[in-house]
Amino acid sequence: GSARRKWKCFKALCCKGPPPPRPEYDLVCIGLTGSGKTSLLSQLCSESQENIVSTTGFSIKAVPFQNAVLNVKELGGADTIRKYWSRYYQGSQGVIFVLDSASSEDDLETARNELHSALQHPQLCTLPFLILANHQDKPAARSVQEIKKYFELEPLARGKRWILKPCSLDDMDAVKDSFTLLIHLLEERELEPSRM
């Protein structure tokens, strides 16, 4: 019976105990007002969509995924708030940039300028970026190819880790897949020897 006893002990050691903690990453989520940041994040957290109001300052959501928890600091996208965005960049490990694929030319240009300054910001320029071209379900939505070209991502973001993905609230699986890709980039970054 001693072998069986040993096995029982071994099993108790292995199988009890809490699951290992998932790594947590601190992300900042930016984008113009109306790009859909709050709705996407609420949906990822399975929160009710009913009373979503525009984020005026910033809000933090813990978004659980199978292999990581993303602590997302979502910054309001209004003109008056955007100039303060950079105050909240400290400590970020990655960036989510949400844009409205169906917005007016003017808004798209503003979004492009904001994305460019984020990609070049000293606290963000080395971080992985997930760029979500939201509202793909709207008739006026531009394709990811158009957005990539318009935002001049290739030349600007060369050598950076960024992912540009189409998304809409009616295809949350695709949104989750995009976030999974971002988590892979975050994990890779953790494994690298830090460059001083």
Side-chain angles (χ1 to χ4, degrees), residues 43-97:
Q43 190 100 332
L44 284 171
C45 295
S46 319
E47 292 172 0
S48 140
Q49 294 290 302
E50 273 155 42
N51 33 20
I52 283 190
V53 291
S54 213
T55 307
T56 44
F58 73 96
S59 70
I60 295 183
K61 286 187 167 59
V63 187
F65 285 89
Q66 239 174 337
N67 48 352
V69 176
L70 304 180
N71 295 316
V72 181
K73 190 190 296 172
E74 181 203 337
L75 307 182
D79 307 355
T80 45
I81 304 169
R82 290 203 301 271
K83 51 177 180 275
Y84 301 116
W85 275 359
S86 55
R87 294 187 183 179
Y88 297 99
Y89 290 166
Q90 185 79 39
S92 302
Q93 293 166 285
V95 184
I96 303 155
F97 188 94

